[in-house]
Amino acid sequence: MPSLTTRPAYLALKAHADAIRNQHLRDLFAADAKRGESLTLEAAGVFLDYSKNRVTAETMKLLVNLANECDLKGRIEAMFTGEKINKTENRAVLHTALRAPKGTTVNCDGKNVVPDVHETLDRMSAFCDRVRSGDWKGHTGKRIKSVVNIGIGGSDLGPVMAYEALRKYSARDMQFRFVSNIDGTDIAEATLDLDPAETLFIVASKTFTTQETITNATTARDWLLAALKDPAAVAKHFVALSTNAEVVRKFGIDTANMFGFWDWVGGRYSMDSAIGLSTMLAVGPQGFRDLLAGFRAMDEHFRTAPFEKNLPVLMGLLSVWYVNFFGAETVAILPYDQYLKRFPAYLQQLTMESNGKSVTLENTSVDYATGSIYWGEPGTNGQHSFYQLIHQGTRLIPCDFIGFLKSLNPLGSHHDILMANLFAQSEALAFGKTAEQVKAEGHPDWLVPHRTFAGNRPSNTVLLEKLDAGALGKLVALYEHIVFTQGAIWNIGSFDQWGVELGKVLASKILPELQSASELKHDSSTNALIRKYRAAR
Ligand code: F6P
């Protein structure tokens, strides 16, 4: 496979980028009165305005050429049909099968996985109905009122994000907490005011070997048994979500209380698998099915729409445009919805664990930039903190603004003010304010440069009707497929995460050293840090 940077489409984009680099969005809009309408797209109930990007019709054509040269279409099909595209782990990548409708066929290793997916969904639904109705009783006969999800990474970020996003639809007579950090503070604070007799722990771990999760789960079990004083209580207060039945059993959780998934579901792609049990407990089985339907609508769009009209493909290609031709290093995710407050954190794992790679699928080092740094905060909070740098700093930071036409809490003018701010920010970023405009306001000459906005700062605006389970599914699937598109162009393996391993190995070596006086054989910095800790211990 030729290196990305030698592909004709890449070279054409490079020349094109140099040619249009100095064109300002002001001029692009002035030259085409319909730009704000033509560079938009609506599919699966998601509207995208990409007109405030530093692109022309030619750019979009060349980007689509690049996607074709990289065989994006073939790669999409390979994913959807269960080819082992996660090469370094020799696994299929089939999170899309988690939302395949009953009765359809998705083969993995010659076996249709859809019946298993639905069998698990049905078991989860039956369990959630029992807990939500109070039919499932705790060990002392009390109903479950508090649910604590214990997991980390994909076994935490998706569940907590989805719970916060769908809180409006959640069972308000129950409370949901999420424990992830190995710092004892996390589990201590999460359980401080809970009644063990009314608490259900969900131990969520694909591998069921993750140090943080198993340690937190063990502490939770001790906490429960200290109060209920009967090992039989575990069966009523612990369920497991995992691919690893054997280790779940060893931990002491009855596998009758385990909801499984499969090695073809990556951790960061698992919020719609059994890992979503807390989401289903919160919003109910029908809410969860609506979420899956949202995912499915975006999957179908991604798989079938021509690239010119394909939301994830266009957004993925636009991000490649800025990374590889404008040197952009980050993307700001700016949801104008308080319920999406954890969405940027969720996307950090999805995007950065997937595409933070520097080796190609042909096992060679890349000679071009790959995965962006994703970050963000909900609007309008970010405006009063880091937006200054986006408007007037020295870096180019493409932004994704996300908003909803209808508010779930329509109080007075709140929603109008919120959306006015969203639209104002993308306008200000694109068009800025010239020195002439500032001067005309009567400011002294020395102040003019400080009050000038260069503009020409790109953004996408993504709008949906209102935030509900279906909309959330569409939004998450949109970004899953953006990540896929980026990975296909960069020719990297988006579905492994070897980069997390070294730190885990070193921590397990250092742990006994902190607890003993053994000889230290690290570098002088690490040795000194360990000695300092030992002295204080
Ligand atoms: O260490 C990274 C990672 O493997 C993530 O990819 C994963 O989401 C997280 O840890 C949790 O893993 P598990 O669900 O197996 O506990």
Side-chain angles (χ1 to χ4, degrees), residues 150-157 204-214 241-243 261 266-270 275 349 353 496-497 499-501 504:
I150 299 176
I152 198 164
S155 301
D156 167 70
L157 289 162
S205 176
K206 179 176 170 179
T207 55
F208 229 76
T209 56
T210 304
Q211 187 184 44
E212 292 91 335
T213 300
I214 300 308
L241 318 176
S242 187
T243 58
F261 56 112
R268 53 195 177 272
Y269 297 87
S270 67
I275 290 294
Q349 187 197 12
E353 204 172 66
D496 58 20
Q497 56 284 319
V500 304
E501 295 302 327
K504 289 184 191 173

Side-chain angles (χ1 to χ4, degrees), residues 332 334 375 386-393 397 399 429 457:
L334 308 167
W375 59 286
F386 54 78
Y387 276 41
Q388 165 65 39
L389 186 146
I390 308 181
H391 282 288
Q392 288 190 316
I397 302 179
C399 299
L429 286 169
R457 294 172 188 233

Side-chain angles (χ1 to χ4, degrees), residues 126 129-138 143 236:
D129 281 339
R130 286 191 67 195
V131 173
R132 285 163 59 89
S133 69
D135 178 43
W136 178 282
K137 300 273 188 293
R143 66 173 291 180
K236 290 284 169 199

Side-chain angles (χ1 to χ4, degrees), residues 374-453:
Y374 278 73
W375 59 286
E377 279 288 321
T380 58
N381 298 10
Q383 291 175 208
H384 298 274
S385 118
F386 54 78
Y387 276 41
Q388 165 65 39
L389 186 146
I390 308 181
H391 282 288
Q392 288 190 316
T394 56
R395 295 163 201 280
L396 181 81
I397 302 179
C399 299
D400 285 357
F401 291 97
I402 301 168
F404 295 89
L405 300 178
K406 303 247 163 63
S407 171
L408 296 184
N409 295 294
L411 294 174
S413 321
H414 281 261
H415 198 59
D416 292 345
I417 298 172
L418 177 74
M419 296 306 281
N421 274 279
L422 187 167
F423 300 144
Q425 289 300 324
S426 69
E427 186 178 26
L429 286 169
F431 299 99
K433 191 170 180 183
T434 63
E436 288 66 37
Q437 287 171 307
V438 179
K439 267 186 214 152
E441 288 172 353
H443 297 291
D445 282 356
W446 67 267
L447 194 53
V448 170
H450 297 282
R451 298 190 65 126
T452 298
F453 290 69

